[in-house]
Amino acid sequence: MSKRKLRFALFGNIYQSRKSAATQKVLSWVSVYGAELYVDEEYYRFLTEDQRLDVLATRVLKNDDFDADFVISMGGDGTFLKAAARVGNKGIPILGVNMGRLGFLADVNPDDIEHTLRALHEGHYEVESRAVIEVNGHYALNDIAILKRDTASMISIRATIDGQLLNTYQADGLIISTPTGSTAYSLSNGGPIIVPGTNVLALTPVAPHSLNTRPIVIPDSGVIELDVESRSNSFLLAVDGRSMACQEGTKLVVTRAPYNIKVVKRPGQRYFNTLREKMMWGADAR
């Protein structure tokens, strides 16, 4: 059992106003065990002003200058991705508590919070290492997407891998996904499901003009260079859902990042169990 105070950094979804019971469990447990609690400033205001909760925070986090033993993400997979962006290369394991439907990243049920936190305190947990990708200084745990803007015509994306031409995609966009992100935007566009821990990336076109343009899986050790042409002279770059406008002619270089994100898992918790439940494989609606 741990002999020192654990330090938890708490991040959460400020739009789930009727689900504060789970957060109260976390706050109560932290208080009982005497752990230190750092709370993201925006989430702190939400909890204290909107939810009227008594939050005994050791520190309110105004920026990304923090350290902790664990990060707790209260929300869904989107909230987890935002927390991962704040963690960056700190190497802090992240525990995702799901406040809605079952997620792939946020997969701890609110009813299991106290049991899970007790397991962390006693050292009974596992950590999975998830690959991150980088594009021009921006980092993504799930995916990077190059997309046309609004109602503009399709864009042309010339993709090379380690200097070799792969394809020039005539499409609404192109998604470059990690194994973690393979069950997100890429999957909705016909991309493959990739098991975490496999050192590959998936390139999945969005509404390709040619029907024989298919997703492809490549080693994540390669350097992907993308040149984009657009009739609107601009396009969107989405990094884990955070979108920014780019001017035509901007060269995008995608590589695997020099760090991974650590995801906390309870002993016995397995990816394929979550996959079957999330995808409803084996469910019979008859």
Side-chain angles (χ1 to χ4, degrees), residues 56-90:
L56 300 177
T58 308
R59 178 184 168 194
V60 176
L61 305 179
K62 300 179 184 296
N63 52 46
D64 297 341
D65 181 20
F66 68 92
D67 194 12
D69 296 298
F70 298 98
V71 164
I72 301 176
S73 170
M74 307 290 295
D77 283 356
T79 305
F80 191 104
L81 291 175
K82 291 177 181 177
R86 299 284 296 275
V87 169
N89 63 358
K90 300 179 191 298

Side-chain angles (χ1 to χ4, degrees), residues 23-250:
T23 308
Q24 183 62 67
K25 288 182 181 180
V26 173
L27 298 175
S28 298
W29 185 92
V30 168
S31 177
V32 168
Y33 278 82
E36 293 187 17
L37 180 65
Y38 311 145
V39 185
D40 171 60
E41 182 179 33
E42 185 180 40
Y43 195 48
Y44 179 81
R45 287 201 306 268
F46 168 73
L47 294 177
T48 56
E49 298 174 9
D50 186 283
Q51 300 297 290
R52 306 294 183 184
L53 295 179
D54 187 14
V55 182
L56 300 177
T58 308
R59 178 184 168 194
V60 176
L61 305 179
K62 300 179 184 296
N63 52 46
D64 297 341
D65 181 20
F66 68 92
D67 194 12
D69 296 298
F70 298 98
V71 164
I72 301 176
S73 170
M74 307 290 295
D77 283 356
T79 305
F80 191 104
L81 291 175
K82 291 177 181 177
R86 299 284 296 275
V87 169
N89 63 358
K90 300 179 191 298
I92 305 171
I94 308 173
L95 175 71
V97 179
N98 195 281
M99 308 288 274
R101 293 169 293 181
L102 175 70
F104 284 100
L105 291 167
D107 56 5
V108 174
N109 188 296
D111 294 335
D112 296 330
I113 289 176
E114 291 163 311
H115 173 75
T116 303
L117 290 175
R118 190 175 302 112
L120 293 187
H121 188 263
E122 296 172 351
H124 298 156
Y125 63 93
E126 299 172 356
V127 174
E128 290 183 359
S129 188
R130 301 293 184 91
V132 176
I133 50 178
E134 176 186 1
V135 57
N136 296 27
H138 301 280
Y139 297 87
L141 176 59
N142 257 9
D143 50 45
I144 292 164
I146 297 88
L147 303 166
K148 71 174 188 176
R149 296 194 67 178
D150 304 320
T151 58
S153 301
M154 64 182 181
I155 54 179
S156 175
I157 307 167
R158 185 179 189 273
T160 63
I161 313 294
D162 292 332
Q164 299 183 56
L165 177 63
L166 169 65
N167 189 19
T168 298
Y169 293 91
Q170 307 287 339
D172 283 359
L174 178 68
I175 306 162
I176 301 173
S177 167
T178 66
T180 299
S182 68
T183 49
Y185 191 26
S186 174
L187 181 62
S188 69
N189 282 276
I193 295 174
I194 304 173
V195 178
T198 51
N199 299 318
V200 296
L201 301 175
L203 276 67
T204 304
V206 179
H209 182 66
S210 174
L211 293 179
N212 61 7
T213 301
R214 299 298 182 192
I216 185 171
V217 175
I218 65 170
D220 66 7
S221 58
V223 177
I224 305 169
E225 294 187 47
L226 306 169
D227 291 288
V228 185
E229 293 183 4
S230 168
R231 289 184 184 176
S232 64
N233 299 317
S234 64
F235 61 94
L236 288 179
L237 173 64
V239 181
D240 275 352
R242 306 183 303 274
S243 296
M244 60 201 82
C246 294
Q247 292 301 309
E248 185 181 54
T250 302

Side-chain angles (χ1 to χ4, degrees), residues 102 104 271-281:
L102 175 70
F104 284 100
Y271 174 78
F272 292 125
N273 293 340
T274 302
L275 183 64
R276 284 197 310 274
E277 188 172 349
K278 182 74 172 177
M279 303 298 293
M280 294 187 292
W281 288 348

